[in-house]
């Protein structure tokens, strides 16, 4: 609720008014000294000199302890300064001096009480406020909303969730404010925002021996001395940084969303994402999906439901599409901010002061239903949420741990960054990751390549990195419960494929692979690990489509290449049956290529049965590796 009152105060200040507009025409005191300091305090408020106003109001009260207007005004200033305990005392004193002084003081006291976690007291005073006659409809709605928060909070406090926050330490936190942490999927790199004075910049820390090393400024290509950079989203591989830049000369509005790519030595110069994501208004707090094709962000643009809303835009062949509002199951008449889309692409975390909470902005999660629609959010509960503001929650890829910032805990000073183990019921779908290095098979030197990961059931690409690897390295997240095909290619080389069958896997054990790409030469082979047949059958399964399309693209890109499609089996069964099965499987691939307009002059096929095994036939895993389809370069 704090935002509503802060906005109201800002409007009053912009009109040159002060808090005294709420006061009675006749003061409750005749003490000239008290009235003098009260008037001086109102002038200080007009000039936003709040600390001076506090001193003057204290002088006014010292002159006459019974001066209700001064107590109320002092409560207003304390409230604006987020000094809620002192505001509570002053508002309570005002009502004690004159219960009918001004009905607004009851609404203010109710809001402050919620911020302090005094939910029973808050509910009682808000009900008193609603008993007044002639309460404006919008104020009545606000009071009812606050009472709903009280009812929710009283229940939440009785059913706390497990919450043991751990400060990330002096390597990350300082006497300044640190907030909005982002971590890569392998948890090796942390990027966060640090505010020193009025300047916001990015800092980075690397994990060494399980501890976060001392953070350093991210890059002079991104950080600037004259503008603010913050509210970032780091892709899971750490290669792209979406962030908010405010009042920059290349901006379209007050705050815009920018993008920078990491090269082998530094970050590239960031560029403005432009329309339709950015407008002449305010866009901020991006969160990019794991596949890099959906950007969630916060905006005040037209078409929303109230204050700040969460929107999304899909990347198309023509660029970012027209943003869509996430709708009434996420956005309210109030504010929704700090979105974080987990790599499972099914769970969204954000903060809001519109949904029932414990006060201020609380943290929530929403999950997609079977139709891909966002369900109504769930409050993360007490004591993760409190009477103050909680924001900037992000998660590790495996969903076990969360990072957030807070100034309510004992830290280095201001806002510090913490981590905590997320309760099971609040976790997203389990996600693991594949991390690899691509090298030239002959020179052993790291090389850039195109990396693609496909959901084999739907044939949809879930990860694609086009010739933009960092020293030959890549990292991509994989939600548990599906089967994936990996393909790595580079012009002049045979492509490499791998299969990750996670439909039955329940843990988040990552995959770490080293890939040696073979230059195209006669006699070189490549295993097609995502060509599938049923047991003892030779009809291609639908899951083979993406691999076959990749092979067709390879042949089209290299028109002088001729290949042999080769089939192999394990050693189970008799040799004659295995020979026939391997030949029929190779023939099935051959016929598919012909049906898709590959020249027959470029193709032959052959079955080898169990003659050329690449793994021991003593285990099921080994036999599975031997049951394979390959292609061999016949001529080039």
């Amino acid at each position: 609720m704090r935002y509503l009152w802060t906005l109201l105060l800002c409007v009053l200040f912009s009109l040159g008014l002060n808090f005294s507009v709420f006061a009675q025409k006749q003061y409750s005191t005749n003490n000239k000294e008290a009235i003098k300091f009260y008037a001086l305090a109102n002038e200080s408020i007009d000039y936003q000199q709040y600390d001076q106003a506090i001193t003057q109001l204290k002088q006014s009260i010292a002159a006459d302890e019974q001066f209700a207007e001064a107590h109320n005004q002092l409560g207003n200033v304390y409230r604006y300064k987020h000094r809620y305990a002192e505001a509570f005392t002053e508002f309570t004193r005002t009502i004690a001096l004159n219960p009918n002084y001004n009905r607004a003081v009851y609404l203010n006291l109710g809001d402050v009480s919620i911020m302090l976690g005094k939910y029973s007291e808050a509910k009682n005073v808000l009900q008193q406020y609603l008993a007044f006659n002639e309460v404006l409809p919008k104020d009545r709605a606000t009071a009812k909303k606050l009472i709903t928060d009280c009812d929710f909070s009283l229940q939440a406090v009785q059913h706390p969730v497990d919450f043991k926050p751990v400060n990330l330490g002096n390597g990350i936190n300082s006497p300044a404010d640190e907030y909005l942490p982002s971590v890569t999927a392998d948890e090796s790199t942390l990027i966060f925002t640090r505010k020193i004075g009025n300047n916001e910049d990015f800092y980075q820390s690397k994990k060494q021996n399980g501890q976060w090393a001392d953070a350093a400024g991210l890059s002079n290509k991104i950080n600037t001395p004259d503008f603010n950079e913050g509210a970032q989203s780091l892709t899971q591989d750490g290669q792209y940084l979406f962030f908010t830049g405010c009042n920059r000369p290349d901006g379209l509005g007050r705050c815009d969303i920018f993008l920078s790519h990491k090269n082998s030595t530094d970050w590239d110069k960031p560029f403005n994402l432009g329309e339709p994501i950015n407008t002449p208004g305010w866009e901020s707090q991006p969160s990019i999906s794991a596949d890099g094709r959906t950007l969630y962000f916060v905006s005040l643009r037209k078409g929303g439901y109230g204050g700040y809303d969460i929107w999304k835009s899909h990347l198309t062949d023509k660029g970012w599409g027209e943003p869509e509002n996430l709708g009434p199951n996420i956005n309210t008449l109030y504010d929704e901010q700090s979105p974080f889309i987990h790599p499972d692409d099914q769970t969204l975390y954000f903060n809001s002061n519109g949904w029932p909470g414990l006060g201020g902005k609380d943290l929530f999660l929403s999950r997609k239903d079977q139709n891909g629609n966002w369900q109504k959010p769930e409050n993360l509960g007490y004591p993760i949420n409190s009477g103050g503001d909680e924001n900037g929650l992000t998660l590790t890829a495996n969903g076990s741990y969360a990072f957030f910032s807070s100034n309510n805990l004992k830290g280095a000073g201001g806002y510090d960054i913490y981590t905590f183990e997320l309760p099971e019921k609040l976790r997203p779908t389990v996600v693991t990751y594949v991390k690899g290095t691509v090298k030239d098979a002959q020179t052993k030197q790291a090389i850039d390549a195109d990396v693609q990961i496909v959901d084999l059931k739907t044939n949809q690409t879930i990860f694609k990195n086009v010739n933009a690897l960092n020293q030959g390295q890549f990292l991509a997240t994989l939600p548990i419960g599906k089967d994936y095909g990996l393909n790595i290619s580079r012009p002049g080389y045979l492509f490499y494929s791998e299969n990750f069958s996670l439909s039955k896997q329940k843990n988040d054990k990552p995959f770490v692979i080293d890939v040696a790409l073979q230059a195209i030469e006669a006699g070189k082979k490549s295993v097609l690990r995502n060509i599938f047949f049923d047991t003892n059958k030779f009809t291609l399964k639908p899951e083979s489509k993406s691999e076959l399309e990749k092979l067709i693209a390879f042949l089209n890109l290299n028109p002088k290449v001729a290949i042999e499609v080769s089939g192999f089996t394990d050693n189970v069964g008799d040799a004659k049956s295995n020979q026939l099965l391997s030949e029929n499987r190779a023939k099935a691939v051959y016929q598919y290529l012909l049906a898709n307009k590959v020249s027959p002059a470029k193709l032959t096929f052959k079955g080898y049965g169990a003659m050329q095994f690449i793994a021991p036939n003593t285990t099921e895993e080994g036999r599975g590796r031997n049951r394979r389809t390959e292609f061999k370069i016949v001529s080039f």
Side-chain angles (χ1 to χ4, degrees):
M1 306 322 112
R2 183 192 309 168
Y3 167 76
L4 296 177
W5 290 105
T6 301
L7 180 61
L8 175 60
L9 294 173
C10 291
V11 171
L12 293 176
F13 293 149
S14 68
L15 295 175
L17 301 177
N18 60 46
F19 294 97
S20 62
V21 295
F22 297 112
Q24 300 168 330
K25 291 182 180 180
Q26 298 297 322
Y27 293 137
S28 60
T29 184
N30 293 320
N31 187 303
K32 293 182 179 180
E33 189 77 359
I35 294 172
K36 180 187 75 172
F37 283 115
Y38 181 75
L40 289 173
N42 286 333
E43 289 182 15
S44 297
I45 291 168
D46 285 340
Y47 290 101
Q48 301 182 27
Q49 297 171 342
Y50 305 118
D51 291 336
Q52 183 171 303
I54 290 172
T55 299
Q56 291 162 336
L57 287 167
K58 286 182 176 179
Q59 290 173 313
S60 177
I61 292 171
D64 186 352
E65 176 63 32
Q66 307 301 309
F67 192 7
E69 291 87 341
H71 283 287
N72 181 62
Q73 192 73 309
L74 183 56
N76 284 327
V77 179
Y78 279 144
R79 183 165 173 266
Y80 182 72
K81 295 280 288 182
H82 303 167
R83 294 166 61 173
Y84 299 117
E86 293 159 298
F88 177 88
T89 298
E90 297 304 323
F91 289 143
T92 302
R93 180 61 175 160
T94 303
I95 293 174
L97 289 170
N98 183 359
N100 297 313
Y101 162 69
N102 189 317
R103 60 177 176 266
V105 71
Y106 288 85
L107 185 59
N108 293 344
L109 178 58
D111 180 55
V112 165
S113 299
I114 290 175
M115 294 296 183
L116 294 173
K118 299 176 181 290
Y119 302 113
S120 295
E121 295 94 323
K123 182 175 181 180
N124 178 61
V125 76
L126 289 166
Q127 288 173 332
Q128 293 181 62
Y129 173 75
L130 290 175
F132 282 100
N133 296 323
E134 300 179 357
V135 173
L136 294 175
K138 63 181 182 65
D139 294 332
R140 184 175 296 277
T142 298
K144 288 182 177 180
K145 166 65 175 69
L146 293 175
I147 289 175
T148 300
D149 287 340
C150 293
D151 289 336
F152 171 84
S153 301
L154 290 168
Q155 289 294 317
V157 171
Q158 294 299 315
H159 301 88
V161 298
D162 190 35
F163 179 58
K164 298 175 182 177
V166 177
N167 191 293
L168 290 194
N170 295 333
I172 303 296
N173 295 312
S174 73
D177 288 337
E178 285 83 23
Y179 42 86
L180 296 173
S182 299
V183 67
T184 53
D186 61 358
E187 301 177 39
S188 65
T189 302
L190 176 76
I191 292 179
F192 60 92
T193 304
R194 176 177 288 167
K195 184 177 182 181
I196 301 177
N198 293 320
N199 186 258
E200 291 179 308
D201 279 332
F202 293 120
Y203 284 73
Q204 174 180 270
S205 175
K206 296 285 188 177
K207 185 172 281 188
Q208 300 174 356
N209 300 320
Q211 300 294 322
W212 292 109
D214 290 349
L218 182 62
S219 169
N220 291 333
K221 295 286 184 67
I222 298 176
N223 292 334
T224 63
D226 301 320
F227 309 106
N228 286 336
E229 295 80 32
Q232 78 287 353
S233 177
L234 184 66
T235 54
Q236 293 296 302
D237 59 3
Q239 298 300 301
Y240 293 89
L241 185 74
F242 293 79
F243 69 93
T244 307
C246 294
N247 302 315
R248 296 168 67 105
D250 52 349
L252 300 182
R254 181 161 58 92
C255 289
D256 284 3
I257 297 174
F258 292 78
L259 173 62
S260 178
H261 170 252
K262 186 179 182 181
N263 57 49
S264 59
T265 59
D266 197 359
W267 290 84
D268 294 332
K269 180 181 178 181
F271 64 89
N272 191 306
L273 290 188
E275 297 178 339
I277 289 178
N278 293 320
T279 70
W282 187 92
E283 280 74 37
S284 182
Q285 301 172 5
S287 180
I288 188 68
S289 61
D291 64 2
R293 306 193 67 82
T294 304
L295 182 68
Y296 296 81
F297 63 98
V298 178
S299 178
L300 278 170
R301 68 182 62 213
K302 294 181 180 178
Y305 286 81
Y308 294 100
D309 275 9
I310 300 175
W311 300 70
K312 68 176 180 179
S313 174
H314 295 293
L315 185 63
T316 70
D317 293 338
K318 298 180 180 179
W320 292 104
E322 191 66 33
E324 307 169 32
N325 191 286
L326 291 198
N329 275 3
I330 299 293
N331 295 312
T332 69
L333 293 173
Y334 299 88
D335 291 332
E336 282 67 45
Q337 294 182 285
S338 298
F340 172 75
I341 182 68
H342 187 263
D344 71 352
D345 198 36
Q346 302 294 313
T347 315
L348 180 73
Y349 297 83
F350 63 99
N351 73 12
S352 170
N353 59 6
W355 297 99
L358 288 105
K361 292 186 177 74
D362 275 15
L363 295 166
F364 294 83
L365 71 85
S366 175
R367 305 183 195 271
K368 287 182 180 177
D369 61 19
Q370 293 181 343
N371 298 318
N373 299 315
W374 292 110
Q375 302 177 70
K376 287 191 175 181
E378 175 185 356
N379 190 295
L380 296 194
Y382 173 84
I384 295 176
N385 289 316
S386 68
D389 284 343
E390 280 73 39
N391 59 60
L393 185 85
T394 59
L395 271 66
T396 55
N398 61 19
S400 298
Y401 286 85
F403 295 88
F404 76 110
S405 60
S406 175
N407 65 348
N408 296 324
L409 303 170
K410 292 181 179 180
Y415 280 89
D416 277 6
I417 297 175
Y418 296 81
T419 186
F420 67 96
E421 188 172 2
L422 200 65
E424 288 281 352
K425 69 172 186 176
L426 302 177
R427 294 182 184 181
T429 304
V430 177
V431 170
T432 186
Y433 65 86
V434 55
K435 181 178 182 180
T437 302
V438 184
K439 297 180 179 180
D440 181 292
Q442 184 173 0
T443 68
K444 309 302 181 184
Q445 296 297 311
I447 55 175
D448 290 342
D450 295 350
V451 179
Q452 181 184 31
I453 297 179
V454 177
D455 181 332
L456 293 173
K457 183 176 182 180
T458 63
N459 201 38
Q460 290 183 335
T461 298
I462 67 162
F463 176 85
K464 189 173 185 180
N465 199 338
V466 181
N467 198 31
L469 305 187
N470 181 18
Q471 298 179 337
Q473 297 181 341
F474 69 92
L475 187 152
T477 53
L478 304 171
I480 300 298
K482 299 181 180 181
D483 295 331
Y484 302 96
L486 166 71
N487 190 283
I488 300 175
S489 60
R490 177 183 167 96
Y493 290 79
L494 277 68
F495 66 84
Y496 171 91
S497 66
E498 187 56 86
N499 172 262
F500 302 103
S501 180
L502 306 183
S503 56
K504 297 180 181 179
Q505 182 169 325
K506 298 187 182 301
N507 61 50
D508 59 356
K509 182 180 179 181
F511 299 90
V512 180
I513 61 175
D514 289 319
V515 177
L517 288 186
Q518 299 274 1
I520 300 175
E521 296 177 11
K524 297 294 184 183
K525 303 176 182 179
S526 181
V527 180
L528 299 169
R529 301 195 188 280
N530 296 303
I531 299 294
F532 302 102
F533 303 93
D534 284 326
T535 303
N536 292 325
K537 302 289 179 64
F538 51 85
T539 299
L540 286 163
K541 299 183 71 173
E543 293 90 332
S544 307
K545 183 179 179 181
S546 63
E547 190 92 320
L548 291 166
E549 289 178 347
K550 193 66 182 181
L551 180 55
I552 293 169
F554 171 80
L555 293 170
N556 290 336
L557 183 65
N558 299 281
K560 295 184 179 181
V561 165
I563 66 169
E564 175 192 278
V565 180
S566 312
F568 302 87
T569 68
D570 57 28
N571 66 349
V572 177
D574 64 87
K576 184 177 181 180
S577 297
N578 284 336
Q579 174 64 32
L580 181 61
L581 180 63
S582 67
E583 185 171 327
N584 283 334
R585 287 181 171 180
K587 184 178 180 179
V589 174
Y590 169 83
Q591 291 176 329
Y592 185 97
L593 298 177
L594 291 179
N596 283 272
K597 302 181 179 179
V598 176
S599 170
K602 295 166 65 68
L603 302 173
T604 58
F605 69 92
K606 186 174 181 179
Y608 291 88
M611 291 190 297
Q612 298 180 14
F613 55 87
I614 59 175
N617 277 304
T618 55
T619 65
E620 179 54 39
E621 181 181 356
R623 289 190 291 272
R625 301 291 283 184
N626 291 330
R627 296 189 297 269
R628 69 195 188 279
T629 305
E630 294 181 350
F631 75 91
K632 178 174 68 175
I633 304 297
V634 174
S635 64
F636 176 52

